[in-house]
Amino acid sequence: MKICIFGAASNRIDKVYIESVESFSKELAQRGHSLVFGAGKDGVMGAAARGFTEGKGKLYGVIPKFFNDFDIEVKYDKCTELIFTENMRERKAKMEELADAFLIAPGGIGTFEEFFEVLTLKQLGRHSKPIAVYNVNGYYDEMYTMLDMTIKQGFLNEECRDIFFMSDDREKLVYYLENEHDTPYTIYDLKK
Ligand code: AMP
């Protein structure tokens, strides 16, 4: 299946994030999966790309044309296919359309935005693809706590906890990504 990985563009992060994502990505490629990603060569994105290359998987990089024009992006140069889009919105839509599942790796606000978009779309019944959060080094613990508070205070339905899966255990993440394609909930359970 095609797994879309969202993750940091920054290189200024601890190497534990880079190494974990690179080796997990290699493992996913060896299981026959392909990568959909932002086509960058830096940070966690670059780690995912190198991992899929090492594991001999296919890589689909999706990139807005203006990144090329202004040379603001250092592209990973071993993509199987580069797909150019008009803008960032179209790029995100393309990544979401191509993917069979999403893996959220540690990242900054760009990654948060991507996670919350695919989560919101799933809550609203626009897709039913697995959304896994790779919680390397407890990076997403506080985000989970924030979502808990959001549920406790009535801003989010309890059932929404079950439409994504967060763990640092790769075996569990792989199982979820490969098998959890059905949600028992309807839009009325998730957003009422
Ligand atoms: P951030 O987590 O803020 O570093 O943003 C990274 C996420 O946003 C990635 O998953 C990308 O899809 C997107 N993104 C942000 N900046 C870039 C960039 N320079 N190159 C490619 N993708 C980027």
Side-chain angles (χ1 to χ4, degrees):
M1 59 200 264
K2 289 195 180 82
I3 299 177
C4 178
I5 299 187
F6 295 127
S10 174
N11 274 327
R12 298 186 312 275
I13 56 178
D14 194 290
K15 64 179 185 333
V16 68
Y17 300 114
I18 303 283
E19 288 168 2
S20 309
V21 172
E22 185 166 338
S23 58
F24 190 27
S25 296
K26 181 175 176 183
E27 218 176 291
L28 291 170
Q30 287 169 338
R31 294 179 70 84
H33 300 301
S34 307
L35 172 69
V36 174
F37 77 123
K41 81 170 189 42
D42 292 322
V44 165
M45 255 184 303
R50 288 191 301 278
F52 270 81
T53 303
E54 287 157 27
K56 310 221 178 316
K58 288 192 172 131
L59 286 78
Y60 301 92
V62 186
I63 187 168
K65 285 181 194 152
F66 75 87
F67 273 35
N68 228 22
D69 299 343
F70 293 97
D71 208 19
I72 52 173
E73 162 95 326
V74 192
K75 279 197 299 289
Y76 183 72
D77 60 5
K78 294 194 189 78
C79 290
T80 317
E81 201 180 315
L82 268 182
I83 299 150
F84 289 96
T85 63
E86 287 304 323
N87 52 48
M88 293 296 275
R89 275 177 196 277
E90 199 186 293
R91 174 211 209 197
K92 217 158 24 137
K94 190 72 197 168
M95 291 166 92
E96 287 164 12
E97 174 199 317
L98 287 172
D100 300 303
F102 302 97
L103 180 66
I104 319 301
I109 55 174
T111 305
F112 299 163
E113 193 251 357
E114 290 164 334
F115 168 59
F116 283 112
E117 169 153 322
V118 293
L119 189 65
T120 309
L121 290 173
K122 191 167 178 181
Q123 178 192 33
L124 295 173
R126 300 304 87 201
H127 74 85
S128 56
K129 299 173 184 179
I131 302 172
V133 180
Y134 186 21
N135 192 23
V136 180
N137 204 22
Y139 181 74
Y140 282 117
D141 287 352
E142 277 89 357
M143 184 180 79
Y144 200 83
T145 306
M146 187 189 81
L147 285 171
D148 251 352
M149 183 273 291
T150 310
I151 291 169
K152 280 194 194 104
Q153 297 217 20
F155 288 91
L156 180 66
N157 289 3
E158 177 94 48
E159 289 80 0
C160 290
R161 240 194 267 274
D162 299 335
I163 61 170
F164 71 99
F165 176 69
M166 184 168 115
S167 181
D168 62 349
D169 183 322
R170 293 181 188 187
E171 242 176 74
K172 289 184 184 158
L173 287 165
V174 166
Y175 182 85
Y176 173 82
L177 287 167
E178 292 179 353
N179 298 288
E180 295 294 318
H181 289 246
D182 289 321
T183 152
Y185 302 117
T186 68
I187 185 170
Y188 303 106
D189 302 316
L190 297 167
K191 185 83 188 164
K192 60 182 175 239

